[in-house]
């Protein structure tokens, strides 16, 4: 059975972070859908790029979910954090499934839900104080078994490849990365 993954879009989402993840996961053959938390599928990013999501939150079926992925961007991350149905879904899923967040999202969305408690993570510089119960690392990407965090737009490709590596293995991640002319310095680069 194919597992589904979802990335959530709110007004003001960081376009590079969201769309890089979708692109890379689809290159790897993973099933990822974009989900608008607004009432319509069209969502405007932080830099005025309008994206038509695959689904609205109400239309999505979150049974058999592998990844729930949260892009950053402001006010995107704050808008996601304010959306109660997503917060409830994240809390339930984090206990048994995989969660990934980038930029401000680890601090603004995941930390208040307790998802980072006692875990290593990274986030956009300046937001670390909101992650009081996490072990914060000053690195682009932190990969744990069921949690991947990244620090910002320039880490979007590494973040996406880390998700692929976690699900499909580092060989597939390296194949996809190489196809995009991205060559890691070592085999452990994604982790």
């Amino acid at each position: 059975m194919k597992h589904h993954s979802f990335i959530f879009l709110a007004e003001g989402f960081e376009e590079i972070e969201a769309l890089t993840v979708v692109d890379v996961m689809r290159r790897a053959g993973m099933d990822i859908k974009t989900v608008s938390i607004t009432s319509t599928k069209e969502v405007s990013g932080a830099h005025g790029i309008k994206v038509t999501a695959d689904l609205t939150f109400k239309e999505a079926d979150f049974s058999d979910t592998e990844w729930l992925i949260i892009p950053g961007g402001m006010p995107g991350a704050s808008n996601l954090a304010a959306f109660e149905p997503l917060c409830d879904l994240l809390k339930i899923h984090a206990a048994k499934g995989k969660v990934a967040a980038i930029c401000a999202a680890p601090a603004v969305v995941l930390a208040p839900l307790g998802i980072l408690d006692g875990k290593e993570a990274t986030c956009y510089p300046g937001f670390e104080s909101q992650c009081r119960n996490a072990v914060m690392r000053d690195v682009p990407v932190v990969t744990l078994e069921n949690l991947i965090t990244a620090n910002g737009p320039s880490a979007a490709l590494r973040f996406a490849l880390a998700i692929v590596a976690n699900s499909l293995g580092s060989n597939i991640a390296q194949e996809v990365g190489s196809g995009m002319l991205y060559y890691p310095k070592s085999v452990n680069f994604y982790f």
Side-chain angles (χ1 to χ4, degrees), residues 1-2 31 51-52 69 76 86 156 160 179 190:
M1 183 155 54
K2 202 168 186 191
D31 179 358
V51 171
T52 304
I69 305 165
L86 175 59
Y190 297 114

Side-chain angles (χ1 to χ4, degrees), residues 38-101:
T38 70
S39 55
T40 67
K41 288 183 184 170
E42 190 173 274
V43 190
S44 289
H47 304 97
I49 302 172
K50 289 187 189 334
V51 171
T52 304
D54 297 312
L55 305 159
T56 61
F57 193 90
K58 285 191 180 115
E59 292 170 333
D61 173 6
F62 298 112
S63 58
D64 188 36
T65 295
E66 183 178 16
W67 289 97
L68 296 179
I69 305 165
I70 313 296
M74 288 305 248
S78 299
N79 288 335
L80 290 170
F83 188 63
E84 290 291 335
L86 175 59
C87 293
D88 293 342
L89 178 68
L90 283 166
K91 272 190 284 202
I92 293 163
H93 188 73
K96 60 178 171 47
K98 299 176 181 181
V99 175

Side-chain angles (χ1 to χ4, degrees), residues 159-171:
F159 176 65
L161 289 167
I163 293 169
V164 171
N166 179 289
S167 292
L168 302 177
S170 56
N171 287 353

Side-chain angles (χ1 to χ4, degrees), residues 24 157 161 172-184 190:
V24 169
L157 186 54
L161 289 167
I172 300 292
Q174 284 179 327
E175 255 176 59
V176 173
S178 298
M180 299 175 79
L181 306 184
Y182 180 74
Y183 303 104
Y190 297 114

